[in-house]
Amino acid sequence: MMFNLLYKELRLAAHPNLYIFTLLGVLVIVPAYPYGMVFLFGCLGPYISFMYGRETNDIYYTSLLPVKKRDTVKAKCLLMVLAQMTQLSISLPFAVLRLRTLPSSNPAGIEANIAYYGFGFIVYAIFNLIFLTQFFKTAHKVGKAFVLAIIPASIGVIIMEVLVHIPKFQWLDSVEPAIMLKQLPILIVGIIVYILSMLVAYRVSANRFQQVDL
Amino acid sequence: MNALSVKGLTKRYPNFLLQDISFDLPQGKIMGLIGINGAGKSTTLKSIINLVNSDSGRIEMLDKDFRENEESCKQDMGVVLGGIDFYNHKKLTDITAVTKRFYKNWDDEAYQRYIKAFSLSPHKKVKELSSGMKVKYMLALALSHKAKLLILDEPTSGLDPVSRDDILELFRQLVDSKGLSILFSTHITSDLEKCADYITYIKDGRLLKSAEKSAFIESFQHLKEPGDKSELSLEEIMIRTERRSYDV
């Protein structure tokens, strides 16, 4: 059933922009670019899809299918996870390629290193938790949910990008294997925070959506 | 057995109260739900199918509690919400490809048959269909997963007289040949004259009367005025029941 719901999301509910923003994981190959933008694109893609879903009455369609009301929420959560994880997976080979082909560091901000991906999970987690729980209060006020979620997510990105310019935190900017090992806890914490935030987001959103009158 | 049984359905909104709605739709019959705009017809239908959370009441579909068996009940149900189009920019083939995955009784051959019979072009986009065609497409989907109960919210609103007659004729055929049960809301009384077996009348969120058509008409004959020679029609019943005077 979950596969069918995800299939519905991809074939009917997702806006083509979601695929484009997901592909923007490749931006980590740009020589000088604030790579934190990649994560914000990973938040923008789902937002546009949710807005498109509202305009195409996607929630009504799903609610009439022989599924539980909370499965409508589960489908949206799965779509977000799929898009964001795909985005990270797409960016990975380009991060390695950049390291091999462009020896100079990224002057615009953080390198696409292990700490970067750890922060990425945290940025996604902040956005998803606020966006999903706000949206499913009404299942139609998508703009308000986006504004409330993108502000803290952007602050997270700015902190990450600024931090590496402070001498004390320059180890966060390193792509040396030994130092990247030191960054590993950030990635682990990021993944844990992401998983926890999605579980809470699903639970709270599903309970809120249960109360919504369509 | 009743296809649908509604008992004591109540829904409170800040500015509207749907109160204690009860009726039974026997299997193989068509019931028209009538009332003026804003009377509570859509709220009733949406509460039945759980799109709206009712405050109290019990819904039974084919002797099963709907709330407790929502998924299996929806397998046997087809719903058409008038005025709500899904995925306007998608082709019918895309919507069908997704929809069929959710129904265990989906019959592809039957779907092809209905698409042909209703002259639907599967490669058209939803927005390219006329209002009548949209209703027919939704019916084709419902019939292809062998729905036993159809619930339609104002399926004939906005249709020209010929398309309206076409849809109502189709309802009659589906009930007579396949034993389907249909509950549809309308404010067009001629729809009821044409095809309803039972009528349920809602006024200001309350149930005024639910009965078999001839008994329903009979029960409103007290509204006759001096000079009325023949039996009151459904339209006259509705107009006289709803008539207001303004102190202006």
Side-chain angles (χ1 to χ4, degrees):
Chain A
M1 186 55 76
M2 274 305 111
F3 178 80
N4 287 342
L5 280 170
L6 203 49
Y7 181 79
K8 183 230 57 156
E9 289 294 329
L10 293 172
R11 186 143 184 196
L12 296 179
H15 189 272
N17 253 326
L18 180 71
Y19 298 100
I20 293 167
F21 282 120
T22 300
L23 285 173
L24 289 181
V26 304
L27 283 173
V28 294
I29 202 160
V30 177
Y33 187 72
Y35 295 150
M37 283 303 293
V38 168
F39 306 132
L40 296 183
F41 288 133
C43 302
L44 259 173
Y47 159 60
I48 291 170
S49 264
F50 272 57
M51 197 153 62
Y52 181 63
R54 183 186 64 185
E55 303 314 317
T56 55
N57 289 315
D58 168 64
I59 295 271
Y60 280 97
Y61 171 82
T62 316
S63 299
L64 294 179
L65 289 173
V67 296
K68 292 195 195 85
K69 204 172 174 185
R70 54 196 314 120
D71 288 338
T72 304
V73 179
K74 201 180 269 180
K76 292 288 174 206
C77 293
L78 285 174
L79 179 71
M80 276 180 103
V81 172
L82 181 71
Q84 290 165 343
M85 292 309 103
T86 306
Q87 186 181 51
L88 292 189
S89 310
I90 288 171
S91 84
L92 266 176
F94 289 93
V96 175
L97 195 66
R98 188 200 184 283
L99 212 62
R100 295 276 167 90
T101 53
L102 300 164
S104 58
S105 62
N106 172 22
I110 196 167
E111 300 293 332
N113 56 19
I114 288 181
Y116 164 78
Y117 285 102
F119 284 123
F121 276 107
I122 295 169
V123 169
Y124 286 154
I126 295 169
F127 179 82
N128 296 357
L129 181 62
I130 301 172
F131 180 70
L132 285 165
T133 53
Q134 284 295 322
F135 174 73
F136 280 108
K137 264 184 182 174
T138 60
H140 70 269
K141 286 190 178 172
V142 63
K144 184 184 170 192
F146 177 70
V147 170
L148 290 175
I150 201 68
I151 292 171
S154 303
I155 292 171
V157 168
I158 292 166
I159 291 172
M160 173 185 78
E161 295 289 1
V162 170
L163 219 54
V164 293
H165 293 289
I166 300 169
K168 200 177 154 192
F169 293 105
Q170 261 177 3
W171 61 279
L172 290 173
D173 204 23
S174 174
V175 286
E176 291 299 320
I179 302 178
M180 279 214 283
L181 211 59
K182 252 181 82 183
Q183 299 168 357
L184 203 57
I186 299 175
L187 180 65
I188 294 166
V189 168
I191 292 172
I192 293 169
V193 168
Y194 185 78
I195 293 170
L196 288 178
S197 107
M198 282 315 297
L199 291 174
V200 173
Y202 166 62
R203 188 165 286 222
V204 174
S205 305
N207 288 340
R208 285 183 174 175
F209 184 54
Q210 210 76 37
Q211 310 302 320
V212 171
D213 291 330
L214 291 170
Chain B
M1 186 165 52
N2 286 323
L4 184 72
S5 175
V6 177
K7 291 189 181 80
L9 189 66
T10 299
K11 171 70 185 172
R12 283 183 192 85
Y13 283 112
N15 299 314
F16 182 74
L17 174 64
L18 185 76
Q19 203 176 3
D20 201 20
I21 304 291
S22 301
F23 59 84
D24 293 320
L25 167 62
Q27 233 178 332
K29 300 289 179 191
I30 301 178
M31 177 182 279
L33 187 63
I34 57 160
I36 60 167
N37 296 330
K41 302 186 297 292
S42 294
T43 305
T44 303
L45 295 183
K46 284 181 171 181
S47 301
I48 290 172
I49 56 178
N50 214 11
L51 287 184
V52 162
N53 295 290
S54 53
D55 291 296
S56 58
R58 188 177 158 84
I59 312 295
E60 278 177 21
M61 185 186 147
L62 300 165
D63 284 348
K64 278 193 286 188
D65 184 284
F66 188 86
R67 299 281 181 269
E68 284 168 17
N69 305 282
E70 187 170 342
E71 285 164 90
S72 69
C73 284
K74 281 180 173 173
Q75 287 279 351
D76 291 330
M77 179 189 263
V79 180
V80 180
L81 298 174
I84 298 179
D85 304 331
F86 309 123
Y87 312 114
N88 256 323
H89 298 277
K90 297 287 180 192
K91 288 179 183 164
L92 304 191
T93 42
D94 292 324
I95 298 176
T96 305
V98 172
T99 307
K100 65 194 259 187
R101 288 169 169 264
F102 288 89
Y103 293 96
K104 54 178 193 276
N105 290 331
W106 183 268
D107 182 346
D108 245 334
E109 270 179 37
Y111 173 73
Q112 297 302 338
R113 229 175 28 243
Y114 290 120
I115 285 289
K116 216 172 152 191
F118 298 162
S119 309
L120 288 160
S121 166
H123 296 289
K124 270 196 175 174
K125 291 177 179 173
V126 174
K127 65 173 181 177
E128 293 164 351
L129 301 181
S130 65
S131 304
M133 284 304 212
K134 282 176 192 166
V135 174
K136 282 185 181 172
Y137 174 59
M138 295 305 287
L139 286 175
L141 288 180
L143 297 171
S144 304
H145 69 74
K146 303 202 167 28
K148 296 178 183 124
L149 169 68
L150 300 179
I151 294 185
L152 307 99
D153 188 15
E154 306 212 353
T156 54
S157 290
L159 300 191
D160 62 74
V162 177
S163 307
R164 215 164 65 218
D165 180 75
D166 188 31
I167 295 281
L168 297 172
E169 188 55 43
L170 179 59
F171 284 179
R172 200 66 258 173
Q173 280 185 28
L174 292 173
V175 168
D176 293 343
S177 67
K178 299 200 178 299
L180 258 72
S181 313
I182 298 178
L183 170 64
F184 76 106
S185 68
T186 185
H187 54 257
I188 306 166
T189 48
S190 62
D191 288 358
L192 306 171
E193 269 144 16
K194 172 122 186 112
C195 83
D197 300 307
Y198 287 76
I199 298 175
T200 296
Y201 188 171
I202 292 180
K203 183 176 187 293
D204 299 329
R206 287 166 185 266
L207 181 85
L208 215 56
K209 180 83 185 169
S210 180
E212 192 273 324
K213 186 159 68 181
S214 54
F216 180 92
I217 293 171
E218 187 59 38
S219 72
F220 281 92
Q221 294 308 314
H222 63 273
L223 296 172
K224 267 188 175 176
E225 288 166 3
D228 285 331
K229 291 194 180 81
S230 58
E231 196 178 46
L232 291 181
S233 68
L234 282 166
E235 185 171 337
E236 285 162 329
I237 289 171
M238 201 169 161
I239 288 172
R240 290 185 193 192
T241 306
E242 304 284 346
R243 189 176 282 154
R244 294 176 192 191
S245 63
Y246 294 96
D247 185 19
V248 285

